[in-house]
Amino acid sequence: MSQQEFDVVVIGGGPAGYPAAIRAAQNGLRAACIDEWQNHDGSRRFGGTCLNAGCIPSKALLESSELYHRAASEFESHGISVGKLGIDIATMQSRKAGIVEQLTNGIAALLKSNGVTALQGHGRLLPGGRVEFTDAEGAKETISAKHVILASGSVPIELPMAPFDGKNIVDSQDALEFTAVPKRLGVIGAGVVGLELGSVWQRLGAEVIILEALDDFLLMADAQIAEEAGRQFKRQGLDIRLGAKMTGAKASKTGVSVSYTADTGKHTLEVDKLIVCVGRRAFTSELLADDSGVAVDEHGFIQVDENCRSTVAQVWAVGDVVRGPMLAHKGTEEGIMVADLIAGKAGEVNYGVIPSVIYTAPEIAWVGKTEAEVKASGVAYKIGTFSFAANGRAQAMEQTAGFVKVIAAEDDDELLGVHILGPVAGELIAEAVLAMEFSASTEDLQRTIHAHPTLAEAIHEAALVADKRAIHAINR
Ligand code: FAD
Ligand code: NAI
């Protein structure tokens, strides 16, 4: 086979890699995207963790389980009766699989229609602008590339005392594939995966016990939000045990026996299934030839500068495989930035305004700094909070838990952080992200007209509260 030549070869077809390849092609560059993702059923699909085993399937299950939960707990107050409520897990799972299939097919179609050469198989960076491509049948080919973008993503961290067996002790991917609701579900790690997937199976009837090693709950979120979220989750029945350090997990035919220590002593927990979700690590296995010249830092991330350029000038790295939050949209922005920089265009990522969303009910979303971070920075600040209980739309939706918290600089009123616990917080946060992208002030939010009745009015009111000008709250 004659050697293929490209301007840009992207290794990894997840949300960091495929947009980079598409943007490179849009910029008139000859682009290829290599991806080796293979699902448990053997199917090969673009989209990476996000589409195949992360963002999308988890949100599909969160939606199904939330509908079930609301039908069981809220319909009655609306005067709706539905007879005997049931859930067919097989149907729920096939709906999820259908969404994943549709979206991953969509990525393949987008690559094609943008003129990107899509290669399914393994990519390995060689020195001197070359990539070794191994196809599904094992045939090897060397491809030459003026620029290479590494976007190989991340994988779940496995704990030696609780190795994954794919059946009883599982990672997040297998936890999306349960074929029945576990009676008792153990979760190690009260992070994003633990809360989202714990919520899914708890809403469907599982007793869910989450063991978290740290004494604090949701350290990455604003403390006030985390405290109220913890209260809400407890009310829902999630049993979150803080300061609980797992010492071992043993699977048997009937389930898993988990041992842990807490300040109350040694404990054993018997569960049907155990999800271990204690974070993810950068995935660089078989990615770099020994003499590639690309450096990896002490945490296993590919070392890059602020423009995502690696230690080799023509090699870039984006997404979960580099420093920063492991979020799909963060990787996408990095991929697009790099494809633009390669084409000689302007590009940058505003790392200060990357939103985070946890898709529980209520949802948790934030952008910018937490109050603790602002305090630590020494900047004088003011705060406005507004509860969804005082918001008409939230009342109509019967989703009044939570609040909006706006933090702004005391001197020039610039927004420093916006934190939301509440219904569709993940959608609402977009307004705050846009505002902060444009260095808006609380006055800008105050003067922006918000439709009535909407949940977004809670952001408007929180901004007004910051200046003690709220109409629908007591200004203290
Ligand atoms: P990945 O999506 O991991 O893609 C990397 C791709 O590269 C994979 O297809 C992999 O097979 C391929 N690859 C690796 N090495 C090679 C190689 N040498 N040759 C060829 N191909 C290779 N983030 C959000 O923003 N929102 C969410 O709601 C959200 N939910 C999540 C839920 C779960 C359960 C999980 C696990 C994660 C979730 N995430 C979410 C995180 C999100 O999935 C990741 O941040 C995102 O997928 C990272 O994108 P990436 O392109 O860097 O890597
Ligand atoms: P995480 O970093 O969110 O949470 C891991 C939790 O496990 C932490 O609270 C940590 O203190 C705890 N922990 C670590 N070791 C432990 C141990 N030995 N015993 C008990 N607890 C322990 O990681 P998670 O949930 O695995 O998610 C991985 C990544 O995927 C996240 O960083 C996130 O960025 C991404 N993700 C994003 C989602 C979203 O944006 N909605 C959804 C799911 C995942």
Side-chain angles (χ1 to χ4, degrees), residues 303-331:
Q303 207 175 301
V304 288
D305 65 14
E306 70 281 9
N307 289 329
C308 293
R309 194 188 282 267
S310 81
T311 44
V312 174
Q314 313 296 321
V315 179
W316 313 70
V318 295
D320 281 11
V321 79
V322 302
R323 82 284 178 266
M326 288 185 167
L327 296 172
H329 42 283
K330 172 261 192 186

Short mmCIF file of all heavy atoms in Angstrom, two decimals, residues 303-331:
data_model
loop_
_atom_site.label_atom_id
_atom_site.label_comp_id
_atom_site.label_asym_id
_atom_site.label_seq_id
_atom_site.Cartn_x
_atom_site.Cartn_y
_atom_site.Cartn_z
N GLN A 303 2.31 15.91 28.53
CA GLN A 303 2.71 17.27 28.92
C GLN A 303 2.45 18.23 27.77
O GLN A 303 2.92 17.99 26.65
CB GLN A 303 4.21 17.23 29.23
CG GLN A 303 4.67 18.27 30.20
CD GLN A 303 6.13 18.03 30.51
OE1 GLN A 303 6.52 16.95 31.00
NE2 GLN A 303 6.95 19.00 30.20
N VAL A 304 1.70 19.29 28.04
CA VAL A 304 1.41 20.29 27.00
C VAL A 304 1.51 21.70 27.57
O VAL A 304 1.41 21.89 28.79
CB VAL A 304 -0.02 20.12 26.40
CG1 VAL A 304 -0.11 18.90 25.52
CG2 VAL A 304 -1.08 20.09 27.49
N ASP A 305 1.67 22.68 26.66
CA ASP A 305 1.64 24.08 27.09
C ASP A 305 0.19 24.58 27.04
O ASP A 305 -0.73 23.80 26.79
CB ASP A 305 2.60 24.94 26.26
CG ASP A 305 2.18 25.03 24.78
OD1 ASP A 305 1.03 24.66 24.46
OD2 ASP A 305 3.01 25.47 23.96
N GLU A 306 0.00 25.91 27.21
CA GLU A 306 -1.37 26.43 27.27
C GLU A 306 -2.10 26.29 25.93
O GLU A 306 -3.32 26.36 25.87
CB GLU A 306 -1.39 27.89 27.77
CG GLU A 306 -0.82 28.94 26.83
CD GLU A 306 0.71 29.01 26.81
OE1 GLU A 306 1.37 28.12 27.40
OE2 GLU A 306 1.26 29.94 26.19
N ASN A 307 -1.34 26.07 24.84
CA ASN A 307 -1.96 25.86 23.53
C ASN A 307 -2.08 24.38 23.18
O ASN A 307 -2.34 24.03 22.03
CB ASN A 307 -1.14 26.56 22.44
CG ASN A 307 -1.26 28.06 22.53
OD1 ASN A 307 -2.29 28.59 22.95
ND2 ASN A 307 -0.20 28.77 22.17
N CYS A 308 -1.85 23.51 24.16
CA CYS A 308 -1.94 22.07 23.95
C CYS A 308 -0.85 21.51 23.04
O CYS A 308 -1.02 20.47 22.41
CB CYS A 308 -3.33 21.64 23.44
SG CYS A 308 -4.62 21.89 24.66
N ARG A 309 0.26 22.23 22.96
CA ARG A 309 1.39 21.73 22.18
C ARG A 309 2.25 20.86 23.10
O ARG A 309 2.54 21.24 24.23
CB ARG A 309 2.21 22.90 21.64
CG ARG A 309 3.20 22.51 20.54
CD ARG A 309 4.09 23.68 20.21
NE ARG A 309 3.46 24.69 19.36
CZ ARG A 309 3.54 24.72 18.03
NH1 ARG A 309 4.19 23.77 17.39
NH2 ARG A 309 2.97 25.67 17.34
N SER A 310 2.65 19.70 22.62
CA SER A 310 3.44 18.79 23.45
C SER A 310 4.92 19.19 23.41
O SER A 310 5.26 20.24 22.86
CB SER A 310 3.28 17.34 22.96
OG SER A 310 4.12 17.14 21.85
N THR A 311 5.76 18.36 23.94
CA THR A 311 7.20 18.65 23.93
C THR A 311 7.81 18.47 22.54
O THR A 311 8.99 18.74 22.34
CB THR A 311 7.93 17.74 24.94
OG1 THR A 311 7.42 16.41 24.81
CG2 THR A 311 7.70 18.21 26.37
N VAL A 312 7.02 17.99 21.58
CA VAL A 312 7.46 17.93 20.18
C VAL A 312 6.61 18.95 19.41
O VAL A 312 5.38 18.92 19.49
CB VAL A 312 7.26 16.51 19.59
CG1 VAL A 312 7.59 16.48 18.09
CG2 VAL A 312 8.12 15.50 20.34
N ALA A 313 7.28 19.85 18.67
CA ALA A 313 6.58 21.00 18.07
C ALA A 313 5.36 20.63 17.21
O ALA A 313 4.35 21.32 17.25
CB ALA A 313 7.57 21.82 17.25
N GLN A 314 5.44 19.56 16.45
CA GLN A 314 4.33 19.23 15.53
C GLN A 314 3.33 18.24 16.15
O GLN A 314 2.49 17.68 15.45
CB GLN A 314 4.88 18.62 14.23
CG GLN A 314 6.02 19.38 13.61
CD GLN A 314 5.61 20.78 13.17
OE1 GLN A 314 4.51 20.96 12.67
NE2 GLN A 314 6.47 21.76 13.38
N VAL A 315 3.49 17.99 17.43
CA VAL A 315 2.58 17.05 18.10
C VAL A 315 1.81 17.78 19.19
O VAL A 315 2.40 18.49 20.00
CB VAL A 315 3.35 15.85 18.71
CG1 VAL A 315 2.39 14.89 19.42
CG2 VAL A 315 4.13 15.11 17.62
N TRP A 316 0.52 17.61 19.18
CA TRP A 316 -0.37 18.30 20.10
C TRP A 316 -1.16 17.25 20.88
O TRP A 316 -1.27 16.10 20.44
CB TRP A 316 -1.34 19.20 19.34
CG TRP A 316 -0.70 20.05 18.27
CD1 TRP A 316 -0.16 19.63 17.08
CD2 TRP A 316 -0.51 21.47 18.31
NE1 TRP A 316 0.34 20.69 16.38
CE2 TRP A 316 0.13 21.84 17.10
CE3 TRP A 316 -0.85 22.47 19.22
CZ2 TRP A 316 0.45 23.17 16.79
CZ3 TRP A 316 -0.54 23.78 18.92
CH2 TRP A 316 0.11 24.13 17.73
N ALA A 317 -1.72 17.63 22.01
CA ALA A 317 -2.56 16.67 22.75
C ALA A 317 -3.71 17.42 23.41
O ALA A 317 -3.53 18.54 23.90
CB ALA A 317 -1.73 15.93 23.80
N VAL A 318 -4.89 16.80 23.39
CA VAL A 318 -6.12 17.47 23.84
C VAL A 318 -7.03 16.48 24.59
O VAL A 318 -6.91 15.26 24.44
CB VAL A 318 -6.90 18.03 22.62
CG1 VAL A 318 -6.11 19.13 21.92
CG2 VAL A 318 -7.25 16.93 21.60
N GLY A 319 -7.92 17.04 25.39
CA GLY A 319 -8.95 16.21 26.06
C GLY A 319 -8.46 15.61 27.36
O GLY A 319 -7.58 16.13 28.03
N ASP A 320 -9.04 14.48 27.72
CA ASP A 320 -8.75 13.84 29.01
C ASP A 320 -7.28 13.43 29.16
O ASP A 320 -6.82 13.22 30.27
CB ASP A 320 -9.60 12.56 29.17
CG ASP A 320 -11.03 12.86 29.59
OD1 ASP A 320 -11.43 14.04 29.56
OD2 ASP A 320 -11.75 11.91 29.96
N VAL A 321 -6.58 13.28 28.05
CA VAL A 321 -5.19 12.81 28.13
C VAL A 321 -4.23 13.93 28.56
O VAL A 321 -3.06 13.68 28.79
CB VAL A 321 -4.77 12.14 26.78
CG1 VAL A 321 -4.41 13.20 25.73
CG2 VAL A 321 -3.62 11.16 26.99
N VAL A 322 -4.76 15.15 28.67
CA VAL A 322 -3.94 16.26 29.19
C VAL A 322 -4.58 16.86 30.43
O VAL A 322 -5.75 16.60 30.74
CB VAL A 322 -3.71 17.37 28.12
CG1 VAL A 322 -3.04 16.80 26.89
CG2 VAL A 322 -4.99 18.09 27.77
N ARG A 323 -3.80 17.68 31.13
CA ARG A 323 -4.24 18.32 32.39
C ARG A 323 -5.59 19.04 32.22
O ARG A 323 -6.00 19.38 31.14
CB ARG A 323 -3.16 19.32 32.89
CG ARG A 323 -3.23 20.71 32.20
CD ARG A 323 -2.67 20.65 30.81
NE ARG A 323 -2.73 21.88 30.04
CZ ARG A 323 -3.71 22.21 29.19
NH1 ARG A 323 -4.80 21.48 29.07
NH2 ARG A 323 -3.61 23.31 28.46
N GLY A 324 -6.21 19.32 33.38
CA GLY A 324 -7.49 20.05 33.34
C GLY A 324 -8.65 19.12 33.61
O GLY A 324 -8.47 17.90 33.73
N PRO A 325 -9.86 19.69 33.72
CA PRO A 325 -11.01 18.83 34.03
C PRO A 325 -11.29 17.81 32.93
O PRO A 325 -11.10 18.10 31.76
CB PRO A 325 -12.18 19.83 34.15
CG PRO A 325 -11.73 21.05 33.44
CD PRO A 325 -10.24 21.10 33.53
N MET A 326 -11.69 16.62 33.35
CA MET A 326 -12.01 15.58 32.36
C MET A 326 -13.46 15.75 31.94
O MET A 326 -14.37 15.08 32.45
CB MET A 326 -11.76 14.20 32.97
CG MET A 326 -10.29 13.89 33.11
SD MET A 326 -10.02 12.22 33.69
CE MET A 326 -8.28 12.01 33.40
N LEU A 327 -13.67 16.67 31.03
CA LEU A 327 -15.02 16.97 30.56
C LEU A 327 -15.02 17.01 29.04
O LEU A 327 -14.08 17.54 28.43
CB LEU A 327 -15.48 18.34 31.10
CG LEU A 327 -15.63 18.42 32.61
CD1 LEU A 327 -15.90 19.86 33.06
CD2 LEU A 327 -16.75 17.50 33.09
N ALA A 328 -16.10 16.50 28.45
CA ALA A 328 -16.17 16.41 26.99
C ALA A 328 -16.00 17.78 26.34
O ALA A 328 -15.22 17.94 25.39
CB ALA A 328 -17.52 15.80 26.60
N HIS A 329 -16.71 18.79 26.87
CA HIS A 329 -16.69 20.11 26.22
C HIS A 329 -15.33 20.79 26.36
O HIS A 329 -14.96 21.61 25.52
CB HIS A 329 -17.82 21.00 26.75
CG HIS A 329 -18.02 20.94 28.23
ND1 HIS A 329 -18.66 19.89 28.84
CD2 HIS A 329 -17.66 21.76 29.22
CE1 HIS A 329 -18.69 20.10 30.14
NE2 HIS A 329 -18.08 21.23 30.40
N LYS A 330 -14.60 20.46 27.41
CA LYS A 330 -13.24 21.01 27.56
C LYS A 330 -12.35 20.45 26.44
O LYS A 330 -11.61 21.16 25.78
CB LYS A 330 -12.70 20.68 28.95
CG LYS A 330 -11.23 21.02 29.19
CD LYS A 330 -10.38 19.76 29.04
CE LYS A 330 -8.96 19.96 29.54
NZ LYS A 330 -8.13 18.78 29.25
N GLY A 331 -12.46 19.13 26.21
CA GLY A 331 -11.65 18.50 25.15
C GLY A 331 -12.03 19.02 23.78
O GLY A 331 -11.16 19.23 22.92
#
